[in-house]
Structure formats: C-alpha cells, structure tokens
Amino acid sequence: MKSILLIFPILLLIACGTVEHAVRVEDEQAFSADTRIMVGEVANKTGESFDVDIEAMLRDAMVNELARESLLGQPGAAGLVTMDVNIIEYRKGDAFKRWLWPGYGSTVLVVEATLLDRQGNVDATAQANRSVDAGGGYTVGAWEKIFKDVAADLVSDLKVNITGGKTE
C-alpha cells in the first residue's frame, strides 16, 4: 500500500508523451555549409479552427529556432531553401484532464515540412510530432510550448543533414 501511495505522486510530477521526428533528404547535393532556410507557407491542414493562431505560433517558433541555430535565411541569400510547413494535427489539450487521467486531455502537434530549392524542387521532407499525455499543473501551457519543441525537433534534424553531423 505504501508503494502505491509513493508511486501516485511521482506519476503526477512526470510529464509523459511521445516525441517522433525524421528527415528524408531527396537531393544530397542541395545542402552545403552555406545553406540557410527561410520559412515559407505555414498552413493549417487539420480542417479545424482554433481559438489561437496556430500558423503564426508555429511560424514564430520555426523562425526563432532557425535563428538560434544560425540557419535562418533571408530572401536573395546564397544557399537559400524555403521550408513550407503543414500542421496536420493539433489538439490544445488540458492539464487538469491530464492530471485526472493520463491520455485524457492530451496536447498534440503533428507537422510535415517540405524544403524547396529556388526552382521549387523538393530537397527534403521532414515530419515531427509531439504529445503531452500525462502530468499535472506543471504541464499548464503545454498547448503553447509544444510549438517550440516541435520547431526544435525539426531544426535539429535539418541541421544534422545540412552540416553533415558537424557542430559549430
């Protein structure tokens, strides 16, 4: 009985969820050390409307993460590729519901990105999804933080492909 009483508070403090992300490079020669990424179209493909601007939240998160990793490109720059991002699934979730029953009230974000060269050819595709399925009060705001986390996942995968695994 004591072990059950100890496990329950621990479960309340742990945020559980899923993290999946991958990049598929279509054109190996498309990337070099001077490759920079400009965020193009960010589209809501969920078929739903939300009380927050999910496209702007993802765009801002992507731009900030690309800048942090020194990969943000500007129009006309050498080595520029454009990244279009589609939001495939988004659920805002609810921290109180997650606290009551893990999996109930999950926050979810699933995105697909396409990197295009100047001629519109696909250089790479990337997918990322995250969810926050359990946790208590400290997961309040997961609906907003998940955009930053997904952006970091995508950019870190892209950076590995652009730099060939080398870090600065």
Side-chain angles (χ1 to χ4, degrees), residues 51 103 143:
D51 61 346
W143 65 272

Side-chain angles (χ1 to χ4, degrees), residues 20-90:
E20 298 176 11
H21 47 96
V23 172
R24 179 177 169 184
V25 176
E26 303 291 336
D27 181 3
E28 294 285 338
Q29 285 74 33
F31 302 112
S32 65
D34 69 339
T35 299
R36 296 297 174 262
I37 302 169
M38 181 176 77
V39 180
E41 181 182 347
V42 177
N44 174 1
K45 300 292 185 176
T46 67
E48 300 176 48
S49 296
F50 300 96
D51 61 346
V52 293
D53 188 349
I54 62 173
E55 296 98 329
M57 291 175 68
L58 185 57
R59 173 181 297 284
D60 291 346
M62 293 301 305
V63 167
N64 290 337
E65 190 63 24
L66 287 166
R68 192 178 75 74
E69 292 291 344
S70 302
L71 291 175
L72 184 61
Q74 301 299 326
L80 184 69
V81 296
T82 301
M83 178 172 46
D84 292 336
V85 186
N86 291 323
I87 301 170
I88 305 303
E89 181 179 1
Y90 175 67

